[in-house]
């Protein structure tokens, strides 16, 4: 008897709840900084969700997808932060 599937299902549920809470903060955030941080955390949670699903399904392709989500999350957060501070993304 192995405990790994149960632990993965519990962590999958925790990450899903965390994603819904970040989505709520993204929609109801009082300031633009709160919304930007919620978006960054949502990308981080999506990366964790893909990694957990990759472990659960024993698929190596899911880890490449997690890397893509992480890179897109970093670039989009950086671009949005620059846009909100200076008004443009590229000089």
């Amino acid at each position: 008897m192995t405990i790994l599937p149960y632990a993965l299902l519990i962590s999958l549920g925790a990450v899903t709840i965390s994603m819904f809470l970040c989505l709520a903060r993204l929609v109801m955030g009082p300031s633009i900084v709160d919304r930007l941080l919620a978006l960054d955390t949502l990308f981080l949670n999506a990366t964790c969700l893909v990694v957990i699903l990759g472990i659960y399904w024993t698929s190596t392709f899911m880890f490449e997808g997690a890397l893509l989500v992480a890179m897109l999350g970093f670039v989009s957060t950086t671009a949005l932060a620059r846009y909100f501070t200076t008004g443009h993304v590229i000089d």
Side-chain angles (χ1 to χ4, degrees), residues 63-83:
F63 298 111
E64 294 174 5
L67 284 173
L68 287 174
V69 169
M71 286 189 296
L72 286 174
F74 173 73
V75 169
S76 68
T77 302
T78 306
L80 282 172
R82 183 164 173 97
Y83 177 73

Side-chain angles (χ1 to χ4, degrees), residues 50-55 58-68:
V50 172
V51 167
I52 291 169
L53 287 175
I55 294 171
T58 62
S59 172
T60 57
F61 294 113
M62 298 296 280
F63 298 111
E64 294 174 5
L67 284 173
L68 287 174

Side-chain angles (χ1 to χ4, degrees), residues 2 4-5 7 14-15 19-20 29-30 32 36 39 50 53 56 59 62 66 71-72 77 91:
T2 173
L4 183 64
V15 170
M19 287 182 79
F20 280 126
I32 198 68
L36 188 61
L39 182 68
V50 172
L53 287 175
Y56 187 72
S59 172
M62 298 296 280
M71 286 189 296
L72 286 174
T77 302
D91 286 330

